[in-house]
Amino acid sequence: MCDRDSCPGIVRGQRILEPHVVVIHKTETGFGFNVRGQVSEGGNLKSINGELYAPLQHISAVLPGGAAETAGIFRGDRILEVNGVTVEGCTHKQVVELIKSGGDSLTLTVISLPVSEVERLEPPDTLNMQCIDYSEKRSLPITIPDYKHVEDLGEKFVVFNIYIAGRHLCSRRYREFVDLHNNLKREFIGFNFPRLPGKWPFGLSEQQLDSRRRGLELYLEMVCAVKVIADSETLQDFLTEHEDDISTSPLVDLKVIVLDDQIVTVKAKRSSTAEEVYRVVAQKIGLLPENWEFFFLFEIVEHNFERRIQPTEFPHSLYIANYSTASSTCLALRKWLFHPRVEVELESDQVALRIMFHQAVSQVNNDFINTKNRLHQLKALQDGEKMQEYLSCVRSMDGYGSIVFPHCASDARREGHVVPVVTFDSLRLQACKADGEMEGQVIEFAWETITQFEVEEDGTAFVFHYRRPGKPDRAVKVYSHFYIFLFECFEKIQEEIGWSRQLANHDLSLN
């Protein structure tokens, strides 16, 4: 791989038909390009210039004289990496979020196509008359419950607030709806679009504004009900908060689960990081500041699995992207701690005690903990007055405090998958079939046998090495989608093992 300036024999303005790095510096017109591609993850491998790649997002337009064109980006370029993160098989939304998160400098690894190939794959829109299936429907709980009057730079206007499943997506002016309508009609020529509420040359009364709100809501409901239109880049861009909107928009409400039966709502900027949002939540629920490091925000990814959100991620983006979750929110405050002795010391903090208690009850109810014949004992202690007794009892049971990852492939098995389980004592790989059905075999690795761990450079797997008596260390690859979280769990365990050594030394000094 090379960068544009170091590739031998490459003339500026010439397409490079192999992976190469391009650095783009944002100007007053932005980065100067558009991205287009698939809206769902994964997909079949495709040949690009003789090499196989998972589906890639591509550059669909380049602003003449803009930052991207100056840096050497061409229409049709396929994007392999964004700021060092591999994006093969990623969705359009994931790639756009990575591009936005990089600040004013963007590093892309791209591969250009011959001009003839670009024209063949992306003919002019006027020639793009392929048959589009409008029959597949989808149900999006999209609403426009209200509107607000706004004044910006001396101009007064009205914006309509768009929500999905009760979560605020964006606010749009009437003229932006008109632009959307016209763009969709050009893109989906054969579709019979509903009418927009009519224009009015004079100021509207509150009653007329509410009537327009209902009409716009009905329009969005009907358009979003057609899957191919709802998934289009045009509509997705309309429903996505733009950079200018984010910088000028007011605070938004974020709902966070703190206990099984309690949700708190906090106000935060759309650009607030997970670290910033977590501190607001922790302060609101009264968690003692000295205990903040033992808890954090988690994303409810799927049934029975939650991952710790990275401190620099944007919870609002996750909150909006997960509108299809059954819960009213995908954000939860959870314990980020494996060490049982340190956990006991947190019980003097009543808020920390309640969080740990409810999380333990959830683990028992989801069968993550092997209660054996003591379930009746736990049920008897499942009372708000006996939380410490409950925790004392459940900590001695196998599986307590574990993080169970979704099943995935691993080279530890020739066939089938594994379920990675991280506990304070060991890492376990539970054998299962490719569809997730559990099998009997379990491979267990004590932490003292694990000599190193890392994420593969191409981001396809998490790798750890373990010690074998009388033999060289062996590497095991785990092909989990959540390899970063798995890496963070390993780091956390190593940190807490260090605490154990410090506690042991402290106990010796007391004796």
Side-chain angles (χ1 to χ4, degrees):
M1 187 186 297
C2 60
D3 59 44
R4 175 162 287 277
D5 293 326
S6 65
C7 282
I10 294 296
V11 179
R12 179 165 292 277
Q14 180 179 339
R15 293 173 182 262
I16 304 176
L17 307 184
E18 63 181 41
H20 58 282
V21 176
V22 179
V23 179
I24 308 172
H25 299 288
K26 185 184 288 186
T27 66
E28 62 273 11
T29 58
F31 287 122
F33 68 92
N34 290 337
V35 177
R36 178 171 292 182
Q38 65 179 21
V39 296
S40 57
E41 287 185 316
N44 297 327
L45 298 178
K46 297 180 180 179
S47 176
I48 299 177
N49 298 344
E51 296 290 336
L52 291 177
Y53 296 91
L56 300 171
Q57 303 291 319
H58 66 274
I59 307 297
S60 59
V62 179
L63 178 68
E69 185 180 74
T70 302
I73 290 291
F74 293 87
R75 184 173 75 89
D77 283 3
R78 268 47 183 174
I79 304 174
L80 300 172
E81 293 181 4
V82 177
N83 294 328
V85 178
T86 300
V87 294
E88 286 189 53
C90 288
T91 67
H92 175 266
K93 185 177 184 64
Q94 290 169 335
V95 172
V96 171
E97 289 293 338
L98 283 171
I99 291 172
K100 288 182 176 180
S101 67
D104 293 333
S105 180
L106 174 65
T107 301
L108 297 180
T109 301
V110 299
I111 181 170
S112 297
L113 274 63
V115 176
S116 59
E117 188 73 0
V118 174
E119 297 300 332
R120 183 182 70 83
L121 294 174
E122 300 177 51
D125 290 342
T126 54
L127 301 179
N128 189 16
M129 298 292 291
Q130 73 271 26
C131 180
I132 299 175
D133 180 14
Y134 299 113
S135 63
E136 187 175 355
K137 304 297 182 180
R138 70 183 303 175
S139 177
L140 281 184
I142 192 162
T143 60
I144 304 178
D146 53 29
Y147 58 87
K148 61 184 175 184
H149 296 270
V150 176
E151 183 172 355
D152 185 38
L153 299 177
E155 181 186 9
K156 296 181 179 180
F157 52 90
V158 172
V159 294
F160 297 88
N161 298 317
I162 303 172
Y163 287 72
I164 283 187
R167 307 174 195 182
H168 183 248
L169 284 182
C170 59
S171 300
R172 293 284 177 257
R173 300 175 66 169
Y174 174 75
R175 71 185 186 190
E176 292 178 285
F177 279 90
V178 173
D179 291 341
L180 169 70
H181 182 60
N182 292 331
N183 290 334
L184 289 176
K185 286 199 299 182
R186 282 192 291 268
E187 185 173 352
F188 301 99
I189 298 173
F191 185 73
N192 185 22
F193 282 90
R195 291 176 59 88
L196 274 177
K199 295 182 180 179
W200 188 250
F202 309 107
L204 299 179
S205 66
E206 294 299 317
Q207 183 177 359
Q208 290 171 319
L209 282 171
D210 192 62
S211 176
R212 173 173 283 184
R213 175 195 65 78
R214 293 195 303 271
L216 294 174
E217 181 179 77
L218 181 61
Y219 175 84
L220 277 186
E221 284 179 357
M222 296 176 68
V223 169
C224 290
V226 182
K227 187 177 187 304
V228 68
I229 299 178
D231 288 342
S232 68
E233 183 178 359
T234 301
L235 190 57
Q236 291 294 317
D237 184 63
F238 176 80
L239 295 175
T240 300
E241 205 78 54
H242 298 148
E243 194 171 316
D244 292 340
D245 301 328
I246 291 174
S247 61
T248 60
S249 59
L251 301 177
V252 295
D253 288 339
L254 291 179
K255 295 180 180 180
V256 180
I257 300 172
V258 292
L259 303 169
D260 279 356
D261 57 351
Q262 182 180 343
I263 293 178
V264 299
T265 302
V266 297
K267 291 190 177 294
K269 296 179 180 179
R270 290 175 172 84
S271 58
S272 294
T273 64
E275 182 72 41
E276 293 166 338
V277 174
Y278 167 65
R279 290 180 175 275
V280 174
V281 175
Q283 187 173 30
K284 183 168 185 176
I285 65 176
L287 187 65
L288 296 180
E290 59 264 32
N291 295 330
W292 286 5
E293 64 178 293
F294 305 114
F295 300 85
F296 205 68
L297 292 183
F298 280 65
E299 177 193 9
I300 303 171
V301 179
E302 55 187 55
H303 181 60
N304 291 346
F305 179 67
E306 301 168 356
R307 71 163 184 100
R308 178 179 179 266
I309 302 172
Q310 292 180 271
T312 55
E313 285 187 82
F314 303 116
H316 181 260
S317 298
L318 299 172
Y319 186 72
I320 295 304
N322 286 272
Y323 61 81
S324 61
T325 54
S327 172
S328 59
T329 177
C330 67
L331 306 177
L333 189 148
R334 297 291 189 239
K335 176 183 67 176
W336 179 229
L337 174 68
F338 294 94
H339 202 299
R341 180 170 169 181
V342 175
E343 182 180 304
V344 172
E345 296 178 6
L346 299 181
E347 292 182 356
S348 59
D349 181 343
Q350 288 299 305
V351 175
L353 175 62
R354 292 180 62 203
I355 294 172
M356 293 187 298
F357 168 73
H358 283 281
Q359 195 167 339
V361 171
S362 177
Q363 281 197 310
V364 169
N365 292 339
N366 289 322
D367 295 326
F368 287 165
I369 298 175
N370 184 3
T371 59
K372 295 183 179 179
N373 298 322
R374 301 173 64 187
L375 183 59
H376 65 284
Q377 182 181 358
L378 290 176
K379 292 293 185 183
L381 296 173
Q382 198 169 315
D383 185 292
E385 302 299 322
K386 301 177 181 178
M387 291 186 289
Q388 286 177 291
E389 295 176 63
Y390 185 97
L391 287 170
S392 178
C393 179
V394 77
R395 280 193 194 103
S396 63
M397 298 178 181
D398 184 44
Y400 175 75
S402 63
I403 294 180
V404 182
F405 284 74
H407 67 90
C408 61
S410 170
D411 65 1
R413 301 195 71 203
R414 293 181 180 177
E415 296 181 0
H417 282 188
V418 298
V419 175
V421 182
V422 178
T423 74
F424 183 64
D425 297 316
S426 64
L427 167 71
R428 300 174 191 168
L429 298 181
Q430 166 74 56
C432 69
K433 296 180 180 178
D435 62 1
E437 182 182 346
M438 291 297 182
E439 297 178 329
Q441 183 184 8
V442 178
I443 309 174
E444 188 163 4
F445 304 90
W447 290 115
E448 58 266 23
T449 68
I450 294 178
T451 55
Q452 67 181 87
F453 55 91
E454 67 272 337
V455 173
E456 282 202 332
E457 289 186 4
D458 59 3
T460 58
F462 173 78
V463 185
F464 68 91
H465 302 251
Y466 70 95
R467 188 183 302 113
R468 298 185 296 171
K471 297 180 181 179
D473 290 1
R474 181 184 173 186
V476 176
K477 294 184 178 182
V478 181
Y479 299 96
S480 172
H481 293 305
F482 306 101
Y483 57 87
I484 293 178
F485 182 39
L486 191 53
F487 178 85
E488 291 173 337
C489 288
F490 271 58
E491 280 193 319
K492 183 68 171 171
I493 290 289
Q494 296 302 317
E495 178 188 8
E496 295 185 13
I497 288 174
W499 297 349
S500 292
R501 298 190 188 101
Q502 293 174 11
L503 290 170
N505 293 335
H506 176 70
D507 292 343
L508 285 173
S509 65
L510 293 177
N511 294 332

